[in-house]
């Protein structure tokens, strides 16, 4: 008797049953590894005969004994529906107690991590700051030697900077000269001159019109060292710069005002435009429509952001203004203060992608005296920023009218009072034109 359906026997199952066939015949004992012919394994032995059972582990597999199903040994517990996971409790594996146990990680030491992170950040900041300082300091062009200036007045309280905008075209290509409308005149002259005083009563920015009438004093040639005695010759102020450069300009300003100049700063056309472009332009409130074919200015009245080309045209414009050079100096003051304010904003100072190009453009184009340091330069920029923020005062040198030769004549009495107030670092009470 067999368990196969009626009409079937072991003899007529055919030879194609098994692997890959379409029939339902079970695999033979040779193929089905869990089937074992012969007596069932005794308790304590595995289904393979001799291999021990897993204690509390994978249940023993049933076997076929002489074609029939063998009942599991008495007392066998399959472990189903008990919540037990294969393997012994407590995470122990078949290898015995303690095998496969995951050790608990210690809690992170946040105080130590914060300390290490802080030290790392401070170190990076210090190294970056020191590196930036030496990089920037090396880029300053310290070409002006004020020790060559003779017969200088005594220094007073506070610090006085002589800031000069020259028409130098050094480093400019032919395309740049055409775009910026600078022309190609040889040599260099001053387009603007200002005295910036910093002290305890706030900064004061004083423009010196280029057409100011001054007397050329005795001086020593900056290159030759030759002494040139004063003859009382009267010229426009910018002629002193054209004659013997920054040293004679400083000598002339000091001799005609009695004010000691501590530092000299000069910037050319190309450098000025580059700085403006590096900071992303400077917002200005243009007081009137300006159209000047000589400077290239074509600006509408109102607030707008000027790029380098527009800014240079704006500060050079004089023929389109009613007050000519006096109005131009006022525009120059307004723009330089706005530029300093733009450079000192967090958006520039804290953004390395804007700060370094701005510093690079500015430092490459500046010409300063040999004693000028980065801290002096920073003091100058912060003072100019203060002027634009209303913390200081901006004015023209007081003018009395035109001299006999047609130049602008300073008001001698007002100039004397102004210089005394600056020397003593007093609040400036004098007003200019």
């Amino acid at each position: 008797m067999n368990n196969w359906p009626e009409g079937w026997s072991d003899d007529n199952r055919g030879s194609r049953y098994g692997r890959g066939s379409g029939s339902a015949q079970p695999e033979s004992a040779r193929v089905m590894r869990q089937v074992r012919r012969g007596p069932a394994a005794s308790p304590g032995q595995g289904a393979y005969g001799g291999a021990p059972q897993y204690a509390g582990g994978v249940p023993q597999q049933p076997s076929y004994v002489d074609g029939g199903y063998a009942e599991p040994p008495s007392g066998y517990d399959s472990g189903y529906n008990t919540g037990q996971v294969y393997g012994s409790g407590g995470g122990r594996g078949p290898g015995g107690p303690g095998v496969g146990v995951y050790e608990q990680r210690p809690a992170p030491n946040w105080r130590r991590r914060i300390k290490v992170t802080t030290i790392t950040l401070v170190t990076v900041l210090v190294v970056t700051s020191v590196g930036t300082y030496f990089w920037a300091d090396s880029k300053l062009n310290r070409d002006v030697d004020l020790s060559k200036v003779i017969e200088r007045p005594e220094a007073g309280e506070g610090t006085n900077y002589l800031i000069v905008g020259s028409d130098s075209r050094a480093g400019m290509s032919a395309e740049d000269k055409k775009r910026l409308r600078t022309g190609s005149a040889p040599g260099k002259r001053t387009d603007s001159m200002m005295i910036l005083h910093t002290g305890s009563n706030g900064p004061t920015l004083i423009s010196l019109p280029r057409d100011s009438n001054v007397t050329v004093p005795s001086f020593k040639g900056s290159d030759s060292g030759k002494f040139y005695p004063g003859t009382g010759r009267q010229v426009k102020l910018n002629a002193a710069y054209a004659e013997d450069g920054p040293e004679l300009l400083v000598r002339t300003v000091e001799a005609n005002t009695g004010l000691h100049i501590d530092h000299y700063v000069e910037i050319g056309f190309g450098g000025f435009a580059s700085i403006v472009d590096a900071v992303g332009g400077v917002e200005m409130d243009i007081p009137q429509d300006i159209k000047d074919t000589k400077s290239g200015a074509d600006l509408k009245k109102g607030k707008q952001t000027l790029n380098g080309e527009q800014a240079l045209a704006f500060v050079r414009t004089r023929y389109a203004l009613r007050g000519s050079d006096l109005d131009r100096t006022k525009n120059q003051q307004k723009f330089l203060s706005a530029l300093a304010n733009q450079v000192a904003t967090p958006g520039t100072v804290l953004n390395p992608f804007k700060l370094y190009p701005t510093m690079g453009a500015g430092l490459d184009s500046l010409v300063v005296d040999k004693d000028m340091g980065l801290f002096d330069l920073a003091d100058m920029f912060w003072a100019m920023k203060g002027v634009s923020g209303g913390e200081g005062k901006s004015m023209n040198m007081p003018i009395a009218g035109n001299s006999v030769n047609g130049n602008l004549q300073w008001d001698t009495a007002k100039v004397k009072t102004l210089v005394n107030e600056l020397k003593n670092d007093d609040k400036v009470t004098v007003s200019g034109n």
Side-chain angles (χ1 to χ4, degrees):
M1 181 176 180
N2 59 53
N3 294 329
W4 298 102
E6 183 178 357
W8 289 77
S9 66
D10 291 342
D11 297 331
N12 62 6
R13 281 179 293 176
S15 61
R16 291 182 302 167
Y17 291 97
R19 276 173 262 164
S21 72
S23 302
Q25 183 181 4
E27 297 283 359
S28 66
R30 181 181 60 82
V31 176
M32 300 178 66
R33 297 181 179 179
Q34 76 274 20
V35 178
R36 175 181 173 83
R37 299 294 183 180
S42 61
Q45 291 182 330
Y48 301 98
Q53 292 183 342
Y54 287 92
V58 180
Q60 181 184 15
Q61 299 295 317
S63 62
Y64 288 94
V65 179
D66 295 329
Y69 177 74
E71 294 294 336
S74 60
Y76 169 74
D77 185 1
S78 67
Y80 292 112
N81 299 324
T82 64
Q84 178 181 354
V85 180
Y86 289 132
S88 60
R92 295 182 178 87
V99 178
V101 177
Y102 292 97
E103 295 183 1
Q104 184 178 5
R105 293 182 178 180
N109 189 339
W110 290 108
R111 179 176 297 179
R112 182 177 180 277
R113 290 187 180 184
I114 293 174
K115 182 179 179 181
V116 171
T117 302
T118 302
I119 292 175
T120 302
L121 291 177
V122 170
T123 302
V124 171
L125 181 61
V126 170
V127 171
T128 302
S129 300
V130 172
T132 299
Y133 175 86
F134 283 105
W135 167 78
D137 188 72
S138 67
K139 295 181 76 66
L140 278 177
N141 300 306
R142 296 183 173 91
D143 297 334
V144 179
D145 188 358
L146 295 184
S147 67
K148 296 179 180 180
V149 180
I150 63 174
E151 302 177 17
R152 308 191 66 186
E154 292 184 5
E157 301 294 328
T159 304
N160 298 311
Y161 300 88
L162 180 59
I163 304 172
V164 175
S166 77
D167 64 359
S168 171
R169 298 159 179 84
M172 296 177 62
S173 64
E175 182 180 349
D176 290 334
K177 294 176 184 177
K178 182 179 180 180
R179 177 175 60 88
L180 298 176
R181 305 283 187 95
T182 64
S184 300
K188 60 180 182 178
R189 287 153 293 277
T190 54
D191 248 30
S192 61
M193 290 161 283
M194 302 178 191
I195 294 175
L196 174 66
H197 174 83
T198 63
S200 57
N201 280 293
T204 302
L205 186 61
I206 307 164
S207 286
L208 309 176
R210 58 182 287 179
D211 293 341
S212 297
N213 190 62
V214 295
T215 300
V216 178
S218 57
F219 68 97
K220 184 183 292 186
S222 57
D223 292 330
S224 65
K226 181 180 178 181
F227 180 79
Y228 296 90
T231 60
R233 179 167 49 104
Q234 293 187 337
V235 298
K236 293 180 179 180
L237 181 58
N238 66 340
Y241 180 93
E243 186 171 336
D244 197 47
E247 288 84 0
L248 179 55
L249 178 62
V250 171
R251 167 70 177 136
T252 303
V253 169
E254 289 186 339
N256 284 266
T257 63
L259 186 68
H260 181 89
I261 300 300
D262 298 290
H263 293 294
Y264 178 91
V265 181
E266 177 188 324
I267 185 170
F269 282 162
F272 180 84
S274 297
I275 294 175
V276 175
D277 287 334
V279 298
V282 177
E283 185 179 74
M284 286 291 296
D285 190 357
I286 307 298
Q288 65 181 70
D289 290 349
I290 299 176
K291 190 172 182 64
D292 187 349
T293 55
K294 292 193 175 183
S295 70
D298 187 5
L299 305 170
K300 298 298 181 182
K301 179 181 178 180
K303 286 187 176 181
Q304 53 199 286
T305 299
L306 304 183
N307 60 25
E309 179 181 348
Q310 294 170 322
L312 183 59
F314 174 69
V315 299
R316 293 180 62 210
T317 296
R318 62 183 301 196
Y319 297 104
L321 304 176
R322 180 179 300 175
S324 188
D325 199 39
L326 292 178
D327 282 350
R328 179 172 73 158
T329 56
K330 294 177 182 178
N331 287 341
Q332 290 170 346
Q333 289 178 349
K334 292 178 182 178
F335 186 85
L336 289 179
S337 296
L339 174 60
N341 186 66
Q342 178 70 22
V343 171
T345 58
T348 300
V349 175
L350 300 179
N351 183 355
F353 298 102
K354 184 176 288 188
L355 175 63
Y356 285 97
T358 302
M359 291 179 64
L363 297 173
D364 275 341
S365 58
L366 290 180
V367 177
V368 300
D369 64 272
K370 294 186 179 299
D371 295 327
M372 186 81 163
L374 289 179
F375 290 109
D376 299 311
L377 196 61
D379 175 66
M380 185 191 78
F381 268 96
W382 280 107
M384 294 185 69
K385 181 179 183 294
V387 171
S388 66
E391 300 173 5
K393 182 174 183 177
S394 61
M395 57 182 288
N396 277 328
M397 185 65 84
I399 302 296
N402 290 333
S403 62
V404 177
N405 58 11
N407 300 333
L408 295 176
Q409 187 64 50
W410 293 349
D411 188 321
T412 306
K414 286 187 176 180
V415 170
K416 183 177 181 180
T417 302
L418 173 63
V419 170
N420 286 334
E421 290 175 342
L422 295 177
K423 278 187 173 182
N424 297 322
D425 199 21
D426 294 332
K427 187 176 179 61
V428 173
T429 61
V430 178
S431 60
N433 299 74

